[in-house]
Amino acid sequence: MNMKKMMKIAATTTNVIAQELPQPSPKAKVEQRIGLTDVTIEYSRPSVKGRVIWGELEAYDVVWRAGANYNTLVSFKDNVKVGGEELKAGTYSFFVTPSKGEWTVMFNSAIDGWGTGKYEAANNVVTLKVEPKKINHQESLRYSIENLTETSGDFVLSWASMSVSFKIEVDVEAKAWTNIDRAIESVDEKTKAKVYRNAAKYAASSKKRLDEGLKWIVESIETEKSWYSYWVKADVQHAAGDNSGAITSIKKAIELGEAGAKESGKPFGYKDRLVKAMEEFK
C-alpha cells in the first residue's frame, strides 16, 4: 500500500472517531437569574427507560453524581445561601445520596471528575439534609429553579418518581447598592441624569440612603428636567416623610407631562396614576 493511500485511510478513520454522535444522556444547561445573581446548572440527563431508579439503579445510601457522565456543576455569580447555609460565589460539583428517609445533597469543590471518581467528603463545602417528595413520573432527569422571588428561588431536582428541593437565597439589596455606587463613581455628563435618577428611585423603594437619594434626584433634575424625574423626587420625599414636598413634586410632574403631551399632540397617559399617587401622599 502506498503512502498516500495509507494517509487517506488514517484521515478517514480519525474523522469517523471524531464524529459527534447522539448520547443516551445528553447535556443540558439551566440558567436563571435570582434577583441580580446568575445561577447556572450544567448536567447530563439520563432517562428512566423502564428501569427502577431509586433503590436499584441508584442505590440507597450511596453517593450519586446527580446526573450522568461528568460531574453535575452548579455555578453562582455571587455569594448565596443554599438551604440556609452560606456558599461563596464559584462553581461546585453537586452530589446526592438518596435514602429511604432524608436525602443528603452536597456541594463539592472538586469539579473535574467523571461520575463519583473524584468525590471525597472532605471536599464538601455545604452538606444539606432534604426531604424527598413523590411526584408524577419524570422520564428524564430535570433540574429547575422554581418559585422565584426577588431574593430567592427553589433549586429542584426531579427524576422518575421523586423530587428534592431546597431554597437558594441572594442578597439582592447589597448587590444593587454595589451596582449603584459603581455607576455613580463612573458617571459622566451624558449618563448623570439617568444614573442619579435610577439610584434615587432605588433609595425610595428600599427606603434606605434617602438623604443621598434626594441629592441624587435634585442633581438629575438640574441636569435634565422631565416629568418622570419629578415623580421619582416625589417618591423619595414621600419615603422620607415629606408628604408636602412630595405633593409639590407630583404637581410639577403633571405640569411637565401635560406640556409635553400638548407639544406632541398625544394624551398624557400617566396623569391618572400621578393624581392617584398625590391622593395617597395626602
Side-chain angles (χ1 to χ4, degrees), residues 28-39:
K29 188 173 185 179
V30 175
E31 295 179 303
Q32 180 63 59
R33 173 163 287 195
I34 304 175
L36 293 170
T37 298
D38 292 326
V39 180

Side-chain angles (χ1 to χ4, degrees), residues 25 44 46-48 51-69 96-100 103 115-116 141 157 159-160 162:
S25 300
S44 294
S47 297
V48 175
R51 299 172 294 183
V52 176
I53 302 301
W54 308 118
E56 291 196 14
L57 182 66
E58 304 303 339
Y60 287 137
D61 305 317
V62 175
V63 175
W64 170 50
R65 63 183 130 181
N69 306 326
V96 174
T97 302
S99 176
K100 289 183 178 179
W103 290 19
T116 56
L141 173 65
L157 179 162
W159 193 27
M162 303 299 289

Side-chain angles (χ1 to χ4, degrees), residues 223-243:
T223 304
E224 181 182 292
K225 283 185 174 65
S226 72
W227 69 267
Y228 181 62
S229 294
Y230 275 98
W231 190 1
V232 172
K233 184 180 180 182
D235 284 341
V236 175
Q237 291 168 313
H238 174 61
D242 180 11
N243 286 338

